[in-house]
Amino acid sequence: MVNNDPNKDNFLYPIRNYKGEFTPENLILNANLQEFAQKVGFICGLEVNGKISPIEAFERIKILWDKLQESKENLLEGDE
């Protein structure tokens, strides 16, 4: 049974409009930042509720951070 409830999706995966200086790179980086924040929130929830250890939570967040850093470097390479 598939539940395609848009309210649930909006609650679990909120997406906010980008309000900064528009460039395709900034828009993509903003989307990546929002995804990073959502995943970190889920990982923290798992750790707080005892589903994963603090070390595992840290390792998962570190992997996400490294991917975000790589994304930033690829998108904004010449802007710094």
Side-chain angles (χ1 to χ4, degrees):
M1 182 164 114
V2 175
N3 184 1
N4 292 330
D5 183 0
N7 291 327
K8 183 175 100 176
D9 287 343
N10 289 337
F11 177 76
L12 292 174
Y13 311 107
I15 297 175
R16 302 294 176 236
N17 293 331
Y18 179 64
K19 301 201 188 302
E21 180 183 339
F22 178 79
T23 65
E25 294 83 5
N26 286 348
L27 187 65
I28 293 169
L29 185 58
N30 178 265
N32 292 345
L33 283 166
Q34 289 188 51
E35 182 180 3
F36 172 79
Q38 290 170 355
K39 288 181 178 183
V40 167
F42 289 139
I43 292 168
C44 290
L46 290 169
E47 191 276 328
V48 167
N49 287 296
K51 303 297 182 187
I52 61 175
S53 71
I55 298 298
E56 184 177 354
F58 177 84
E59 290 171 355
R60 288 184 184 192
I61 292 170
K62 173 113 175 57
I63 290 168
L64 292 174
W65 176 256
D66 290 342
K67 288 179 183 177
L68 182 63
Q69 185 76 26
E70 182 179 331
S71 168
K72 180 222 169 229
E73 289 169 0
N74 289 335
L75 290 168
L76 305 177
E77 206 167 63
D79 289 354
E80 295 180 9

